[in-house]
Amino acid sequence: MSPYATRQDYKLDTPLGKWYPVRRDTLYTAYRDKDTVYYRDEIGLHKGIPNGPYKYKIPLDTVEAPPLKSHPIPVNFIGPDVLWTKRPRRMARRPRLRQHKIV
């Protein structure tokens, strides 16, 4: 462990504020958005086709860039052109909390 590492959070004098959806310059192997997975290889960036809740088939055609609201994720190959993710494609929706009137 680095001698400069800390085990506590830093409190900023001024909060960072809102994060803006901008194009990122860091290249990751895989990204996830609300509906699918994007996988990068030496050919380019491929948009995965869902093949089950955790699996995606990777086609040969490429896309320009991942969507702005996507985020990097780890993936594993489980067969030729088939990716596996650790989370299902669509997470279950959280139940809406009922509001009770306070009398």
Side-chain angles (χ1 to χ4, degrees):
M1 179 178 237
S2 168
Y4 303 106
T6 180
R7 293 179 189 257
Q8 60 189 9
D9 294 333
Y10 289 106
K11 184 168 178 141
L12 301 175
D13 294 334
T14 307
L16 292 174
K18 183 178 178 181
W19 286 86
Y20 296 102
V22 296
R23 187 172 173 190
R24 311 287 190 239
D25 293 325
T26 305
L27 302 178
Y28 291 95
T29 304
Y31 302 85
R32 168 186 221 88
D33 71 357
K34 187 172 95 174
D35 298 318
T36 191
V37 167
Y38 296 83
Y39 177 74
R40 183 183 311 280
D41 63 8
E42 58 276 348
I43 297 171
L45 186 68
H46 308 275
K47 181 178 179 179
I49 300 168
N51 189 16
Y54 296 88
K55 295 192 279 185
Y56 293 86
K57 180 138 178 74
I58 302 300
L60 290 177
D61 55 334
T62 60
V63 295
E64 184 78 19
L68 296 178
K69 291 189 176 184
S70 64
H71 60 276
I73 62 162
V75 295
N76 294 324
F77 270 98
I78 59 171
D81 299 327
V82 178
L83 290 177
W84 177 79
T85 62
K86 295 181 180 178
R87 302 234 183 250
R89 179 171 76 246
R90 292 182 186 252
M91 302 298 273
R93 289 188 176 204
R94 295 173 121 183
R96 202 168 197 192
L97 297 175
R98 293 176 52 193
Q99 292 187 357
H100 299 282
K101 291 183 180 180
I102 299 174
V103 184

